[in-house]
């Protein structure tokens, strides 16, 4: 595990963007796992900036988002589809046919989950999986539980996770869907490289538990300790309790 601490959130996002750019420089057709959430906003902004400076080319890249809120179609402005279009897809030269996001409005989520996993395997698996971390240690929407799901599935969201997602829902956490489709831990942990990004003091405690605590399904991110190619990028605040 490589842990890099940067002086600011901006510097952390820049380092994350450079890692993605380097991956695509080495392999222009790399398959990327992508997160949503506040942490990813500055990361996508830096990637867009690199793209405008012609320092990264997405023409052959393939992307798979990690999750989507249940019940929301791709055109719903609160969906992760819409988030990705707004912050990233429509600002870079990534052909739409090479981007993938789970359909939150799929009538049969099991079928959707199977379709998505076959698409990931068909693309050769994830070369680089970029992750944020939830305050409770969730990865994508793999919430703390007695046992974690390896496969892509329908997850029940913890109230704290719904609160953290409330902004797009007028600040009302009760309006945030209680369920989401998410890739399972198996998909994440099978990625060839993993880049975990965390910023801010609200993440300091969970970052310590995830990286230094016991490996437990109560802290899904703790399983990252077992990955053979994990890079963790933190700002000083998120690293504050690492010791
Ligand atoms: C969200 C997403 C995750 C994200 C995490 C952290 O609920 N499902 O993929 O990484 O929680 O979000 P944020 O970066 O806003 O703290």
């Amino acid at each position: 595990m490589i842990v890099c601490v940067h002086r600011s959130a901006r510097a952390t996002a820049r380092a994350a963007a450079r890692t993605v750019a380097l991956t695509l420089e080495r392999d222009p057709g790399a398959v990327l796992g992508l997160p949503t959430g506040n942490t990813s906003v500055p990361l996508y902004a830096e990637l867009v900036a690199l793209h405008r400076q012609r320092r990264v080319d997405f023409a052959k890249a393939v992307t798979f988002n990690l999750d989507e809120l249940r019940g929301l179609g791709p055109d719903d402005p609160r969906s992760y589809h819409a988030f990705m279009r707004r912050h990233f897809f429509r600002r870079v030269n990534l052909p739409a046919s090479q981007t993938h996001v789970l359909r939150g409005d799929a009538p049969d989520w099991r079928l959707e989950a199977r379709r998505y996993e076959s698409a990931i395997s068909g693309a050769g698996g994830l070369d680089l999986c970029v992750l944020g971390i939830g305050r409770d240690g969730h990865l994508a929407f793999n919430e703390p539980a007695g046992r974690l799901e390896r496969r892509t599935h329908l997850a029940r969201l913890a109230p704290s996770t719904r609160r953290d997602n409330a902004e797009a829902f007028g600040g009302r956490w009760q309006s945030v869907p209680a369920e989401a489709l998410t890739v399972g831990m198996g998909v994440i942990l099978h990625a060839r490289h993993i880049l975990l990004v965390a910023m801010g003091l609200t993440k300091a405690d969970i970052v310590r538990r995830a990286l230094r605590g016991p490996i437990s399904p109560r802290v899904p991110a703790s399983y990252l300790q077992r990955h053979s190619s994990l890079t963790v990028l933190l700002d000083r605040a998120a690293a504050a309790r690492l010791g």
Side-chain angles (χ1 to χ4, degrees), residues 146-173:
R147 195 185 133 267
L148 297 177
E149 299 260 359
R150 297 188 54 75
R151 308 296 302 269
T152 298
H153 62 281
L154 186 67
R156 245 202 120 63
L157 303 185
S160 67
T161 301
R162 291 171 75 195
R163 268 185 218 107
D164 289 345
N165 275 272
E167 200 182 308
F169 294 82
R172 286 180 304 275
W173 74 270

Side-chain angles (χ1 to χ4, degrees), residues 65-67 102 109-110 112-118 120 142 149-155 180-188:
N65 267 81
L66 302 174
D67 44 23
L102 280 154
W109 70 260
R110 286 185 179 81
E112 174 63 0
R114 274 206 296 276
R115 179 195 70 80
Y116 206 68
E117 285 212 0
S118 336
I120 295 175
N142 292 276
E149 299 260 359
R150 297 188 54 75
R151 308 296 302 269
T152 298
H153 62 281
L154 186 67
L181 275 162
T182 180
V183 297
M185 291 297 289
V187 172
I188 293 172

Side-chain angles (χ1 to χ4, degrees), residues 35-40 67 80 131-134 138 140-141 161 165 203:
T36 50
N38 294 326
T39 310
S40 68
D67 44 23
Y80 289 173
L131 296 170
I133 180 170
H138 70 243
F141 274 133
T161 301
N165 275 272
K203 298 289 171 71

